[in-house]
Amino acid sequence: MEIYYTIPDIQKCLLELKSEGLSLGFVPTMGALHEGHLSLIRRACEENDKVVCSIFINPIQFNNKEDLENYPKTLESDINLLQENDCDILFLPDNDEMYPKPDTTTFDFGHLDKILEGKFRPGHFNGAAIVVKKLFEIIEPHKAYFGEKDYQQLVIIKAMVKKFSIPVEIIPCQTVREKDGLALSSRNLRLNESEKSIAPEIHKILSEAKSKASKSNPENIRQWVISKVEMHPGLKLEYFEIVDPHTLITVDTPLKGQKYIAKIAVFLGKIRLIDNIEIFF
Ligand code: AMP
């Protein structure tokens, strides 16, 4: 695997690849790689001639300074994992490379970045969209891979690509989970032993909510989830909403047989975890 630290260096390499007519897949990450990230890398390898992964902890998408400072960093292991999974190129820029001067772009995504995660993490999606747009402009991939674990991010990136007519195909990838159902996340590294034993409850509650849906309605399910989360002293619910998969608007009167997304964010101690599940009424 080749590693590039600067924009001119990676662009020189990519220009050569593209001049040979090779297709390019791209997986943007913030590192602390796990099987979720690696599933994206493997899918990109299957569908493209060459695969680029980026690792950049994007400061402007953190609305919480402590979260940024404590974000896990496991670069040596990340490089080994990328090599073992046949990634061709790693882009590893630093802050000065990505932001030689502060980027104050403000995107207008309508309601999409103001609800759900956006309500609790103001500026998060604007910061994420800035860095992903920059990375797309640097790398110009044919396909880019994003996890459904960060469902709202996926919807917003799709909206951004459409808005700016960026010629990249966005490929959504299924959430990879532990055997006990916990969605893999770099932040799981920060859970202590007792928090680790509680964390699988989040997916268990979502799964049970899903199984109740055909005999219930969104508001009753919401109330059930709220009471279920309250029963666990370690968990603190930030939100639970059942939303339209495209508009992300909360659904009151769902259509039978149509897919919706149940989204949840909870605090487990100081660690904020998110998850979601498809749900049908
Ligand atoms: P991050 O490093 O958290 O910015 O994530 C980089 C990419 O990996 C994003 O597209 C995430 O949605 C995706 N990702 C993170 N966790 C998972 C997971 N458990 N399963 C699938 N994709 C994931």
Side-chain angles (χ1 to χ4, degrees):
M1 181 173 71
E2 291 168 45
I3 304 180
Y4 295 100
Y5 300 89
T6 71
I7 296 169
D9 284 351
I10 191 165
Q11 283 186 321
K12 186 163 169 268
C13 155
L14 295 176
L15 204 64
E16 276 171 32
L17 296 181
K18 284 182 196 146
S19 70
E20 292 169 33
L22 299 179
S23 63
L24 201 63
F26 176 45
V27 181
T29 81
M30 297 204 295
L33 301 184
H34 51 63
E35 269 303 309
H37 300 111
L38 299 175
S39 72
L40 272 53
I41 297 283
R42 288 194 287 267
R43 172 114 183 246
C45 286
E46 279 166 23
E47 298 181 355
N48 300 275
D49 297 317
K50 296 283 177 188
V51 171
V52 180
C53 174
S54 64
I55 297 180
F56 176 64
I57 301 180
N58 178 32
I60 64 167
Q61 75 183 65
F62 285 79
N63 55 309
N64 177 329
K65 198 167 156 252
E66 204 184 323
D67 190 25
L68 171 61
E69 281 163 6
N70 294 322
Y71 201 82
K73 296 168 194 74
T74 59
L75 185 57
E76 208 177 309
S77 139
D78 291 351
I79 291 174
N80 288 333
L81 288 169
L82 289 172
Q83 261 159 349
E84 283 165 18
N85 284 276
D86 297 329
C87 180
D88 299 287
I89 296 165
L90 170 59
F91 184 42
L92 204 53
D94 65 11
N95 279 340
D96 290 340
E97 191 65 19
M98 291 303 284
Y99 301 114
K101 54 181 193 305
D103 190 323
T104 54
T105 309
T106 306
F107 293 116
D108 180 5
F109 293 120
H111 68 282
L112 285 182
D113 63 341
K114 294 175 192 72
I115 54 173
L116 304 162
E117 286 297 288
K119 196 166 145 192
F120 294 94
R121 302 186 67 190
H124 164 66
F125 289 117
N126 197 66
I130 286 176
V131 84
V132 171
K133 185 163 180 282
K134 259 182 206 280
L135 289 166
F136 282 172
E137 284 162 0
I138 295 165
I139 291 164
E140 297 186 330
H142 298 98
K143 293 183 180 177
Y145 295 77
F146 289 85
E148 287 173 344
K149 153 106 186 343
D150 300 287
Y151 193 87
Q152 192 169 3
Q153 169 173 277
L154 176 63
V155 171
I156 288 171
I157 296 299
K158 278 187 190 166
M160 182 190 73
V161 161
K162 197 165 167 204
K163 192 182 178 82
F164 295 101
S165 305
I166 303 172
V168 58
E169 187 183 346
I170 302 299
I171 313 283
C173 300
Q174 265 188 6
T175 302
V176 178
R177 299 177 181 281
E178 302 278 9
K179 280 201 190 76
D180 59 20
L182 175 64
L184 297 189
S185 163
S186 304
R187 289 188 174 84
N188 295 354
L189 290 174
R190 295 181 53 208
L191 298 173
N192 64 32
E193 283 309 310
S194 95
E195 289 164 346
K196 263 186 213 151
S197 68
I198 304 171
E201 279 304 316
I202 301 166
H203 178 63
K204 234 183 252 166
I205 292 171
L206 285 183
S207 300
E208 237 177 296
K210 178 184 174 118
S211 70
K212 286 179 183 297
S214 64
K215 295 185 210 76
S216 187
N217 63 63
E219 189 45 32
N220 284 349
I221 290 192
R222 217 172 84 84
Q223 292 307 329
W224 179 83
V225 168
I226 291 171
S227 64
K228 200 76 187 161
V229 173
E230 273 173 4
M231 279 164 54
H232 289 275
L235 293 178
K236 193 168 162 285
L237 185 70
E238 198 161 65
Y239 68 80
F240 172 83
E241 297 287 341
I242 299 173
V243 303
D244 178 279
H246 308 290
T247 65
L248 300 181
I249 289 174
T250 296
V251 61
D252 300 319
T253 46
L255 298 174
K256 224 166 178 48
Q258 191 158 311
K259 180 175 94 174
Y260 296 94
I261 306 290
K263 280 181 94 302
I264 194 167
V266 295
F267 273 98
L268 189 41
K270 282 186 159 183
I271 312 302
R272 186 175 183 280
L273 298 177
I274 57 168
D275 202 350
N276 66 78
I277 199 165
E278 288 183 355
I279 195 165
F280 300 84
F281 287 88

